[in-house]
Amino acid sequence: MKKQKQLIEEATIMFASDSGGGSQIIGTQMTEASAIAGNDVATLPDYPAEIRAPAGSLAGISGFQLRFSSLTIHTPGDICDVLVAMNPAALKVNIDKLKPNGVLIVDIDNFAQRNLRLAGYNSNPLEDDSLTRFQVIPVELTRLTREALKDTDLTQREIDRCKNFYALGMVCWMYNRPMDYAFQWLKEKFATKPQYIEANTLALKAGNIYCEATEQFATSYEIKPAKFAPGKYRNIEGNMATALGLVAASQKAGLQLVYGSYPITPASTILHELARYRNFGVKTMQMEDEIAAVGVAIGAAFSGALGVTGSSGPGIALKAEAINLAMIAELPLVVCNIQRAGPSTGMPTKTEQADLLQMFYGRNGESPLPIIATSRPSDCFETVYEACRIAIKYMTPVIFMSDLYVAFGAEPWLIPKVSDLPAIDVDFPTDTDGFEPYLREEVTLARPWAIPGTPGLEHRIGGLEKADISGNVSYDPDNHEQMVHLRAEKVARIVEDIPPTEIFGESRAELLVLSWGGTYGAVRTAVEHKQAEGESVSHVHLRYLNPLPKDLGEVMKGFKRVLIPELNLGQLRQLIRAEYLIDAIGLNKIQGQPFHIFEVESKINELLRGDV
Amino acid sequence: MKNRTSSSIPLAVQTLTKQDFTADQDVRWCPGCGDYSILAQTQRILPDLGIPKEDFVFISGIGCSSRFPYYMNTYGFHTIHGRAPTIASGVKAANPDLSVWVITGDGDALSIGGNHFIHLMRRNFDINMLLFNNRIYGLTKGQYSPTSEQGKKTYSTPMGSIDNPFNPISLALASGATFVARSLDRDPAHLRGVIKAAFEHKGTSFVEIYQNCNVYNDGAFFTYTEKETKADNTVFLEHDEPLVFGKDADKGICLNGFKPEVVSLTDGAHTPDALITHDQFAEDRTLAYFLSRMTEAPGLPHPIGIFRSVENPCYEGMMTEQINAAKEQMGEGDLEALLNAGDTWGVE
Ligand SMILES: Cc1ncc(C[n+]2csc(CCOP(=O)(O)OP(=O)(O)O)c2C)c(N)n1
Ligand code: SF4
Ligand SMILES: [Mg+2]
């Protein structure tokens, strides 16, 4: 049969199966293969709330969305071109994400009565008319995999677990992806279980050959490499980049990294990652709770290490009192808040950015802290590095904000050269002459980082109000007011380190879209689209939230209106309104899901047409 | 980081005095408070420990007792309620060469900090904890604490407390503490001895100190600390010695099944051979636990002294071992290589 090969710009694929069905694995494989082939990639894993919900149930569906492109992209895509659904529940959960006329590959062997019922289908969607708007490709995935692996020594159960690689083989064929990367990965992954290497390799090849042979697949697609700035790249997940940024900062500063944490989604993978770097002297400490986790980081900072703690909203709430201690003790500390959907336990496997005001105000007393937020997986490294730099330079805790969408997403990352990373200067005083624990550096207002073990600099710190300069306990009213002002002033002065605001687009226009955190990709793409249509709209994405860049007020004056899209009820908007008395408009979504590009676009349309 | 061992003590260290450990701040405890004695004994014993002043770090939580670091002319950190063990763990993890001390109260360590307490005990950092047990919340002006006896009437329990109290020694032992001792604010020599032994023990050392709060719980421990009653109501634990007590050393403790019992040494029925012989170095903590339970049993004397002292690997030492092993296996971390690890590709 003559097969066609068609050149296309980009594709978005969704793999969906029971959790444990291997969607995450093959999604990652396809991502790596596409990245290595030179495409720009963006991913969105969608984990179920239950670890192993009953097989075939809606609650247990795990999805992995992947977009790869010959153009520069910022999001994993609003809508999919291909959906690979391993059972009826996977179909039901994800069918709304498939575009009209999109390709739907299903394992028909899993569409028996029982599974249909579990997914809540009254009739088989493959047999009624409900899927006619798609190109449905039913494949006997289970039977074909069993057939392909019948000569192996594996049990039927083990064979069935190779189905995901059969599906991966098919998708590799569809997009002309070499399978070498997957072969190599299998060899490393199952180094001690060669029978699994063989079986999965067979399944992968069989899936590929199946597409070549059957008439169901007439066309395969080719996607040319994207244009990237020159340099060396790797594909990276947000949390992985955050972990690397912390190691890099500690190495550049010449400090030990002590990371205290207590497992919580979506922060845990930072702990897992850092735990592998003992050869960098990294001391990860999994503690009894989040308070202990921040406690060890503070203790380590007092001892002269780079102390870092990481958690998500509920854990950060527990840490608040200790963070405040580090604030008044004026010790460097980095607190990573990888946000998830709240309130309370909320939706632990879903994304949101509703902790901003918690980070600003969630501590008793006047407790100003610098806050910076990352925007995308490839930005985590630099942003958390910057958090460490500020913490050490200004002797203050710094809050680094990320979110689940960024933490678990992956994209190509231009690997920086170590020599190009900003210097982080550490000065442990040893001179006893005129030493005072709260005598401040003139420009930064940082107090000296005098560490235990230094002869002659013995001193006491703590959470009681400090007398200016001496640091002794003081209840003096004027001193208290002065100290409150000094601590605020110190954080305010960080503004001098913030580069001028980058405006994407004209600096004078009808509309400015102002965003922060993980919404970057959707907002930037929406603005790109509108600009391409000739609309008068620009974009500013904030990394520094406290303090805000000093030119931001001026920048906003160049626009008739300011739109602030957020995955919360308008927290940055409230801050911007209060700070600049600007009637900023909100676009707010609180569904545990990132923005779709079209959602931002339609809000821009609405505002530019003036019919609000 | 400096690397000091006790064998390389600078000469100057040996000439330190109590005065060197006294900070310039006024001590703000109520006159007559047992905390004064504990402070004085600590300041007196520190010069004898053979390490430079700058290597001591005192870390406390919140409470009257936790004011302690302000009065010590060493590095100190007055932290937040209940959390001193966590901050001390961070200090020790980051710099194992420091001599780290946690100062805490019965409320601080066992109420709000109860979780950190048990975990500090099991991790076995080389940290010394002095718990000032006055069986009351002093700083907040007299509410019952987790060591207050049931039925205690306080501002928050006008009809008497209905909580069962903790026995700190039992709790520490059950949590796996490798050094567990009890001493008395009103027995300076004993207190100094126990503090020194705690310091010398490698691993977490837990010392409960009966401390009189003369304002909110006056005389809580007088039965065990005052001359008239002390001898008949306490038994001082000495390693390898039988448990003998009483004004005239006329009573002893022997085990009847699982129950410690007081026997007379003058009635001819019992000789010291029949008594429990204390073994503070026993790896098994059962005996120490039996002894700790005597505190609760009516008619039995309160054991004072070292219940348990065994050497186990320390957390910070094992951390260092892992780091060394990782460096050996993978080589010293190379940042450039780390950033460039995995599958990379170049763009011209
Ligand atoms: C988070 C928090 N909760 C409550 C308090 C109030 N508080 C301070 S000290 C204390 C109890 C201290 O009792 P204890 O540890 O026995 O110390 P003592 O004063 O008896 O030495 C309490 C409840 C506090 N400082 N912080
Ligand atoms: S209240 Fe009690 S414990 Fe506190 S200082 Fe006064 S006497 Fe001591
Ligand atoms: Mg108390």
Side-chain angles (χ1 to χ4, degrees):
Chain A
M1 194 188 69
K2 179 97 185 71
K3 302 271 182 178
Q4 307 245 333
K5 205 182 219 178
Q6 196 183 327
L7 193 66
I8 55 171
E9 228 166 51
E10 63 160 64
T12 301
I13 306 177
M14 161 77 91
F15 297 102
S17 65
D18 277 331
S19 69
S23 287
Q24 303 298 329
I25 292 174
I26 57 171
T28 309
Q29 295 300 310
M30 190 68 187
T31 306
E32 291 291 338
S34 302
I36 290 167
N39 293 149
D40 198 357
V41 298
T43 68
L44 174 61
D46 187 19
Y47 298 110
E50 268 72 46
I51 304 291
R52 287 285 153 86
S57 68
L58 295 168
I61 295 306
S62 164
F64 190 99
Q65 185 173 324
L66 155 67
R67 180 179 176 207
F68 43 98
S69 177
S70 54
L71 303 174
T72 302
I73 54 171
H74 311 300
T75 79
D78 283 2
I79 193 142
C80 300
D81 302 297
V82 177
L83 169 62
V84 180
M86 302 299 263
N87 64 19
L91 176 67
K92 179 109 176 210
V93 169
N94 292 295
I95 192 65
D96 289 347
K97 294 175 194 141
L98 187 60
K99 71 174 188 195
N101 205 34
V103 174
L104 171 63
I105 299 174
V106 290
D107 178 5
I108 48 167
D109 294 336
N110 265 341
F111 276 65
Q113 202 51 44
R114 197 187 111 79
N115 278 336
L116 289 168
R117 220 181 28 248
L118 271 171
Y121 281 116
N122 293 325
S123 68
N124 188 341
L126 301 176
E127 288 161 7
D128 59 29
D129 288 341
S130 60
L131 299 173
T132 48
R133 62 187 188 287
F134 307 111
Q135 303 177 50
V136 183
I137 306 186
V139 180
E140 295 171 283
L141 251 166
T142 307
R143 191 187 65 76
L144 290 167
T145 307
R146 288 179 187 173
E147 177 70 27
L149 303 192
K150 66 177 189 306
D151 294 335
T152 63
D153 293 334
L154 302 190
T155 64
Q156 179 122 129
R157 247 186 91 115
E158 288 173 314
I159 288 175
D160 285 351
R161 296 192 63 180
C162 299
K163 272 193 291 192
N164 59 334
F165 271 84
Y166 195 98
L168 177 63
M170 294 171 63
V171 175
C172 283
W173 182 89
M174 287 177 70
Y175 291 98
N176 286 285
R177 288 275 172 256
M179 296 184 287
D180 321 9
Y181 179 81
F183 292 148
Q184 193 53 39
W185 181 85
L186 285 168
K187 272 189 206 139
E188 283 162 26
K189 167 88 182 165
F190 296 120
T192 57
K193 296 194 178 104
Q195 67 277 29
Y196 290 166
I197 305 177
E198 190 207 338
N200 282 294
T201 304
L202 277 174
L204 193 57
K205 285 182 181 161
N208 207 263
I209 293 166
Y210 174 80
C211 294
E212 186 64 41
T214 169
E215 288 179 11
Q216 282 177 305
F217 293 84
T219 312
S220 71
Y221 302 95
E222 199 181 338
I223 291 164
K224 288 261 180 326
K227 283 199 186 58
F228 284 100
K232 200 163 160 197
Y233 287 81
R234 67 189 277 196
N235 187 46
I236 200 146
E237 270 184 27
N239 273 355
M240 164 90 134
T242 300
L244 293 182
L246 292 171
V247 177
S250 75
Q251 292 274 311
K252 279 292 262 199
L255 298 177
Q256 262 187 80
L257 174 60
V258 175
Y259 184 78
S261 198
Y262 185 80
I264 186 169
T265 304
S268 301
T269 47
I270 300 175
L271 173 64
H272 302 172
E273 198 56 36
L274 289 174
R276 299 170 48 218
Y277 303 142
R278 285 271 196 268
N279 63 325
F280 285 82
V282 175
K283 293 178 177 169
T284 49
M285 298 168 74
Q286 181 181 316
M287 299 304 291
E288 58 271 22
D289 62 20
E290 281 88 351
I291 303 173
V294 65
V296 291
I298 292 171
F302 183 51
S303 275
L306 174 58
V308 182
T309 189
S311 189
S312 191
I316 302 288
L318 286 172
K319 293 176 197 288
E321 189 194 10
I323 296 171
N324 222 2
L325 172 70
M327 192 282 306
I328 194 169
E330 300 190 42
L331 286 170
L333 173 75
V334 173
V335 179
C336 305
N337 180 358
I338 318 301
Q339 300 164 96
R340 63 190 211 182
S344 189
T345 310
M347 301 195 288
T349 56
K350 306 294 166 194
T351 201
E352 205 162 86
Q353 47 179 183
D355 297 352
L356 183 61
L357 294 182
Q358 179 195 9
M359 297 299 88
F360 265 84
Y361 302 122
R363 295 168 298 282
N364 63 304
E366 294 291 350
S367 176
L369 289 184
I371 301 170
I372 66 176
T374 184
S375 56
R376 50 198 187 275
S378 63
D379 176 64
C380 290
F381 179 89
E382 205 179 296
T383 305
V384 82
Y385 188 96
E386 176 70 348
C388 299
R389 191 189 67 79
I390 293 173
I392 292 167
K393 178 172 173 186
Y394 291 88
M395 291 290 284
T396 176
V398 176
I399 297 198
F400 163 79
M401 297 186 79
S402 175
D403 63 43
L404 183 139
Y405 172 72
V406 173
F408 292 165
E411 63 181 8
W413 172 51
L414 175 58
I415 304 169
K417 287 216 168 51
V418 171
S419 53
D420 293 344
L421 297 175
I424 303 182
D425 297 323
V426 176
D427 175 28
F428 295 129
T430 51
D431 192 355
T432 55
D433 254 7
F435 169 78
E436 297 283 356
Y438 275 73
L439 189 62
R440 293 169 191 281
E441 206 272 330
E442 242 167 77
V443 179
T444 61
L445 297 183
R447 73 176 193 90
W449 195 0
I451 59 172
T454 317
L457 301 190
E458 293 84 0
H459 65 282
R460 276 67 55 197
I461 57 172
L464 289 171
E465 183 59 285
K466 306 269 149 294
D468 189 21
I469 301 174
S470 76
N472 288 332
V473 176
S474 169
Y475 283 79
D476 181 81
D478 293 335
N479 176 76
H480 177 48
E481 183 151 353
Q482 186 192 357
M483 292 303 280
V484 166
H485 281 297
L486 271 172
R487 290 188 288 260
E489 173 65 16
K490 182 171 82 164
V491 172
R493 287 195 186 182
I494 295 169
V495 84
E496 299 304 330
D497 286 19
I498 303 179
T501 300
E502 268 178 50
I503 306 172
F504 178 72
E506 300 295 329
S507 57
R508 310 202 146 264
E510 286 292 318
L511 180 66
L512 173 69
V513 187
L514 180 67
S515 56
W516 72 279
T519 58
Y520 169 84
V523 175
R524 175 57 54 98
T525 311
V527 172
E528 276 173 0
H529 289 175
K530 291 290 116 187
Q531 286 179 352
E533 291 169 14
E535 299 287 8
S536 178
V537 54
S538 300
H539 180 209
V540 164
H541 193 81
L542 296 173
R543 170 186 281 175
Y544 299 86
L545 295 158
N546 196 35
L548 287 161
K550 65 175 159 196
D551 61 357
L552 186 61
E554 273 311 304
V555 165
M556 288 192 294
K557 282 188 188 149
F559 299 86
K560 291 212 179 108
R561 294 210 257 182
V562 176
L563 167 68
I564 305 184
E566 290 179 89
L567 301 177
N568 60 43
L569 287 181
Q571 301 193 2
L572 176 67
R573 181 160 47 107
Q574 192 173 319
L575 292 165
I576 294 288
R577 282 173 166 229
E579 182 75 22
Y580 302 99
L581 300 177
I582 277 183
D583 190 13
I585 301 154
L587 168 64
N588 304 95
K589 174 173 174 179
I590 312 100
Q591 302 174 0
Q593 296 293 332
F595 277 121
H596 290 303
I597 298 160
F598 73 80
E599 290 167 333
V600 183
E601 280 186 56
S602 46
K603 187 70 188 179
I604 295 173
N605 288 342
E606 181 191 314
L607 292 177
L608 290 179
R609 277 201 311 273
D611 53 8
V612 222
Chain B
M1 205 174 304
K2 288 171 306 168
N3 210 347
R4 274 212 195 81
T5 59
S6 40
S7 58
S8 62
I9 305 159
L11 260 183
V13 170
Q14 278 142 14
T15 62
L16 289 172
T17 64
K18 175 170 185 260
Q19 213 45 44
D20 292 305
F21 286 96
T22 307
D24 59 1
Q25 300 293 296
D26 293 336
V27 182
R28 294 273 170 82
W29 288 310
C30 308
C33 173
D35 290 354
Y36 282 96
S37 157
I38 307 173
L39 176 66
Q41 301 327 314
T42 311
Q43 287 169 337
R44 267 188 66 183
I45 197 70
L46 256 47
D48 297 350
L49 301 183
I51 66 164
K53 193 170 68 148
E54 64 270 18
D55 284 356
F56 285 103
V57 186
F58 281 83
I59 297 170
S60 61
I62 299 289
C64 295
S65 36
S66 289
R67 286 298 192 101
F68 190 97
Y70 288 121
Y71 311 135
M72 297 292 299
N73 189 18
T74 61
Y75 285 92
F77 201 168
H78 178 224
T79 71
I80 47 177
H81 203 17
R83 319 302 174 192
T86 72
I87 287 157
S89 299
V91 168
K92 189 71 184 177
N95 186 355
D97 295 338
L98 298 170
S99 175
V100 180
W101 299 70
V102 172
I103 306 296
T104 185
D106 40 323
D108 193 59
L110 303 177
S111 249
I112 194 165
N115 194 28
H116 309 308
F117 176 85
I118 56 177
H119 290 279
L120 179 70
M121 296 300 130
R122 81 180 166 92
R123 287 199 185 97
N124 201 35
F125 278 98
D126 187 12
I127 288 177
N128 313 301
M129 175 187 271
L130 309 183
L131 187 155
F132 299 13
N133 183 7
N134 54 13
R135 307 185 90 174
I136 198 82
Y137 285 3
L139 192 72
T140 45
K141 302 193 189 327
Q143 301 83 3
Y144 77 112
S145 90
T147 56
S148 297
E149 61 282 14
Q150 205 172 39
K152 185 167 197 67
K153 290 195 171 143
T154 69
Y155 291 115
S156 58
T157 51
M159 296 175 68
S161 126
I162 50 181
D163 284 20
N164 262 317
F166 267 139
N167 174 331
I169 300 283
S170 298
L171 187 61
L173 286 167
S175 310
T178 52
F179 179 100
V180 179
R182 176 185 283 149
S183 191
L184 310 167
D185 57 352
R186 296 182 178 230
D187 191 338
H190 188 264
L191 182 54
R192 283 197 303 276
V194 167
I195 294 175
K196 185 153 191 272
F199 167 81
E200 282 162 356
H201 171 73
K202 208 160 160 40
T204 304
S205 305
F206 171 68
V207 181
E208 179 194 16
I209 304 167
Y210 285 176
Q211 174 243 325
N212 192 38
C213 167
N214 53 308
V215 174
Y216 296 110
N217 202 13
D218 196 23
F221 299 109
F222 279 0
T223 316
Y224 317 107
T225 57
E226 301 314 285
K227 216 158 128 217
E228 309 74 57
T229 46
K230 181 177 177 181
D232 284 328
N233 290 287
T234 57
V235 52
F236 279 73
L237 303 174
E238 298 284 350
H239 177 67
D240 220 12
E241 296 290 334
L243 266 63
V244 175
F245 71 108
K247 243 184 223 100
D248 309 312
D250 55 349
K251 286 174 276 195
I253 310 287
C254 62
L255 260 188
N256 180 3
F258 290 127
K259 268 180 72 178
E261 257 179 17
V262 176
V263 295
S264 164
L265 296 178
T266 52
D267 63 2
H270 297 88
T271 61
D273 295 348
L275 304 180
I276 301 173
T277 301
H278 185 41
D279 179 4
Q280 71 186 47
F281 302 119
E283 190 53 48
D284 185 273
R285 45 186 134 136
T286 314
L287 173 67
Y289 192 78
F290 272 130
L291 298 179
S292 78
R293 301 314 300 163
M294 287 169 59
T295 315
E296 255 87 73
L300 288 175
H302 280 204
I304 310 290
I306 300 167
F307 289 74
R308 181 174 201 237
S309 174
V310 298
E311 290 265 332
N312 275 350
C314 296
Y315 184 105
E316 68 275 12
M318 291 189 283
M319 176 73 88
T320 306
E321 272 169 29
Q322 283 198 349
I323 287 172
N324 292 340
K327 285 180 177 170
E328 209 154 278
Q329 282 162 24
M330 296 182 264
E332 183 91 34
D334 171 348
L335 184 57
E336 202 85 59
L338 176 68
L339 301 188
N340 286 276
D343 296 294
T344 61
W345 68 94
V347 174
E348 300 287 306

